[in-house]
Amino acid sequence: MIFRILAALAVVTFVAGPVDAAETKVAVAANFTEAAKEIGVAFKRKTGDDALFSFGATGQLYTQITQDAPFEILLSADDERPKKAVADGFGVPGSVFTYAIGKLVLWSKSPDVVKGEDTLKTAGFTKLSICNPVAAPYGAAAVETMKALKLYDTLQPKLVVGANITQAFQFVDSGNAELGFVALSQLKGNAGGSRWMVPQDLYKPIRQDAVLLKKGAGNTAATGFMDFLKGPEARAIIEKYGYVFGSET
Amino acid sequence: MEGLAPDLWPPIRLTIELATTTTIVLLIVGTPIAWWLARSQAWWKEAVATVVAMPIVLPPTVLGFYLLVALGPEGLGGALSGLTGRRTLAFTFEGLVIGSVIYSMPFVVQPIRNAFEAMGSRPLEVAATLRASPLRAFWTVVVPLARPGFLTAAVLGFAHTVGEFGVVLMIGGSVPGQTKVLSIAIYDYVETMQWREASLLSGGMALFAFVVLLAMALIEKRVARVGV
């Protein structure tokens, strides 16, 4: 047994790659979780460098950044916090760019539950899951949508609020809420249930910006990751998850 | 959520309601369990005691995960809530009470069990020779003798429920007046950089914890002096 562990350790040590492989710590908005993981793998394959991800609500990550979190890059779910990061002295000026534009979806695990905006109007459900509208841009977009349909006041008593979009998704996925506003990217590989792509005129486009933080300014792995995010490999992955590639617009 | 920032009272009121309800339920449910654990000769009783004590060791996420599934439409909670026309016990006050009862159980059962064990069987035997019925003996002999244990249990059960966070975060859904308790409100405030509200509530919690622990220490000191 001990021998096996030692052997495994030896393998890990040898396979660990070039000695000069660097790493960068990236704070990622929860909606981008799966795409980021895949981009991280492609990034590693191309450069040998590691991207270490921390996932959370954009607001929560930003709070941590203001408190000296060790992040070198922020992949935000909005275009406000990256701007603010630069203005507040945490971000590198000129480094902000849009890496993806997200789509909001009303989703249920059961077929026939979600049938367009009428589903919200008739409100024949008990729990509608969203994420914290102050901390998470997808939550803000959900509230914006309900307000645009003039349904926010009637729907508010039915809202359950996840700390981030992953939790909002999980409330629906576990069956505890009948439906919820989630990110299109979260439904990848999930063809079942019923869904309504919320029309873009009901909410402000979710422009997801990236910003290089000052902690990462001198790290080639960090600047390398920022460049990689603009490249064709990253683009293919971003589009695969249902986002519009940022530089397009 | 929008518009809630100025209102600090609902989470405080809700937290007190939750902790009070949980403590009452736990005293009712926990006392027979503690009694059985203190008196039973069953070889497997320590296994039961271990199950009761497990929430002390388990991460709240484990409980939160199990509860989310168990309370949901595919679990027992969904079946129960179906009786009242709902589909899940998650996101409800009742759901939080169930979670809190499990989570705070060891903090109530253990002090009561200790008190019962310290008492021994002698007082009950005496009561029996005086022809007191078991129930009467329990109320007139056991309860007064074990009062410090009950007091400790109630204070700890209440305080531990107030201090609950992980389980509520996972099954609560931050519904104002239903599941948005103090710890969740603080989390939301910090997450959204509302430092002033966060520090007000956090300061209150710190003060509360200090008072509770000090009170506990004083109770124990008094008990030690007076004797059980």
Side-chain angles (χ1 to χ4, degrees):
Chain A
M1 189 63 207
I2 299 243
F3 175 75
R4 263 198 213 169
I5 294 171
L6 286 177
L9 281 178
V11 170
V12 170
T13 319
F14 284 117
V15 182
V19 191
D20 58 347
E23 59 175 45
T24 179
K25 298 189 181 68
V26 187
V28 181
N31 76 86
F32 203 63
T33 301
E34 293 309 316
K37 283 183 191 161
E38 216 172 309
I39 290 172
V41 171
F43 175 64
K44 167 92 174 166
R45 203 185 304 131
K46 188 170 184 190
T47 64
D49 294 342
D50 283 298
L52 307 177
F53 299 115
S54 302
F55 304 103
T58 298
Q60 174 198 343
L61 296 168
Y62 191 78
T63 304
Q64 291 168 355
I65 288 166
T66 64
Q67 300 305 306
D68 212 29
F71 303 132
E72 296 169 323
I73 291 171
L74 169 66
L75 300 190
S76 178
D78 65 5
D79 54 0
E80 277 158 32
R81 264 109 170 171
K83 242 182 264 159
K84 193 164 153 51
V86 173
D88 292 351
F90 302 109
V92 175
S95 69
V96 178
F97 71 98
T98 305
Y99 64 93
I101 297 166
K103 294 278 174 216
L104 186 68
V105 184
L106 183 66
W107 175 66
S108 169
K109 229 173 65 162
S110 326
D112 305 328
V113 169
V114 177
K115 300 165 181 160
E117 65 177 76
D118 286 346
T119 306
L120 293 174
K121 279 184 181 141
T122 43
F125 47 82
T126 55
K127 299 290 175 204
L128 168 63
S129 169
I130 65 170
C131 52
N132 187 323
V134 186
Y138 281 84
V143 170
E144 217 182 314
T145 299
M146 288 182 278
K147 282 187 174 160
L149 294 170
K150 303 207 169 12
L151 295 170
Y152 184 63
D153 292 334
T154 48
L155 290 175
Q156 204 179 18
K158 301 190 171 194
L159 295 183
V160 291
V161 184
N164 53 52
I165 192 81
T166 305
Q167 207 187 11
F169 177 83
Q170 168 231 308
F171 282 159
V172 182
D173 196 42
S174 66
N176 282 294
E178 293 105 311
L179 70 175
F181 281 102
V182 300
L184 176 60
S185 53
Q186 294 176 298
L187 297 178
K188 184 174 176 340
N190 193 331
S194 50
R195 65 182 71 182
W196 174 51
M197 290 283 295
V198 180
Q200 191 61 72
D201 56 342
L202 292 179
Y203 66 99
K204 208 169 104 252
I206 305 173
R207 299 186 71 92
Q208 307 194 185
D209 281 7
V211 59
L212 180 65
L213 300 170
K214 286 201 169 148
K215 282 200 195 304
N219 181 357
T220 51
T223 50
F225 187 83
M226 290 291 277
D227 290 338
F228 187 80
L229 206 52
K230 297 172 187 163
E233 293 104 320
R235 176 181 184 155
I237 297 167
I238 288 170
E239 287 176 346
K240 192 172 82 183
Y241 278 90
Y243 297 98
V244 174
F245 183 63
S247 311
E248 279 295 275
T249 49
Chain B
M1 289 187 58
E2 279 171 305
L4 289 176
D7 208 348
L8 301 178
W9 284 111
I12 296 175
R13 201 167 48 228
L14 180 67
T15 305
I16 293 170
E17 279 168 16
L18 177 65
T20 308
T21 314
T22 302
T23 307
I24 293 169
V25 171
L26 270 175
L27 287 175
I28 296 168
V29 174
T31 302
I33 297 177
W35 181 256
W36 183 79
L37 288 174
R39 318 280 306 181
S40 168
Q41 304 293 328
W43 59 269
W44 45 280
K45 83 169 181 185
E46 284 313 324
V48 174
T50 306
V51 171
V52 169
M54 273 167 73
I56 299 178
V57 181
L58 286 178
T61 40
V62 173
L63 272 185
F65 167 57
Y66 283 148
L67 280 168
L68 191 69
V69 176
L71 296 179
E74 280 134 54
L76 190 63
L80 280 176
S81 56
L83 301 174
T84 57
R86 289 176 300 187
R87 50 178 273 123
T88 175
L89 278 177
F91 320 126
T92 63
F93 183 76
E94 294 85 337
L96 289 201
V97 171
I98 293 173
S100 307
V101 163
I102 296 171
Y103 187 58
S104 296
M105 174 96 65
F107 295 87
V108 171
V109 168
Q110 197 55 44
I112 302 179
R113 178 186 177 179
N114 289 347
F116 287 162
E117 278 175 349
M119 200 173 63
S121 50
R122 184 90 184 118
L124 276 181
E125 287 164 11
V126 173
T129 57
L130 295 172
R131 295 194 187 177
S133 71
L135 198 63
R136 192 183 144 106
F138 182 82
W139 284 113
T140 55
V141 179
V142 175
V143 170
L145 281 178
R147 206 176 59 184
F150 279 108
L151 199 58
T152 307
V155 174
L156 278 183
F158 187 92
H160 194 249
T161 305
V162 169
E164 195 176 341
F165 172 67
V167 174
V168 185
L169 182 76
M170 288 183 72
I171 66 172
S174 192
V175 181
Q178 279 278 315
T179 60
K180 190 172 183 171
V181 296
L182 264 171
S183 57
I184 299 292
I186 293 172
Y187 179 76
D188 281 356
Y189 285 135
V190 173
E191 212 185 19
T192 55
M193 299 189 85
Q194 302 182 67
W195 300 126
R196 198 184 67 86
E197 288 83 356
S199 48
L200 271 174
L201 292 183
S202 300
M205 288 288 254
L207 188 68
F208 168 77
F210 178 82
V211 170
V212 165
L213 292 176
L214 185 66
M216 287 295 304
L218 294 179
I219 291 173
E220 266 167 35
K221 210 169 156 193
R222 183 165 168 274
V223 169
R225 202 173 56 231
V226 178
V228 178

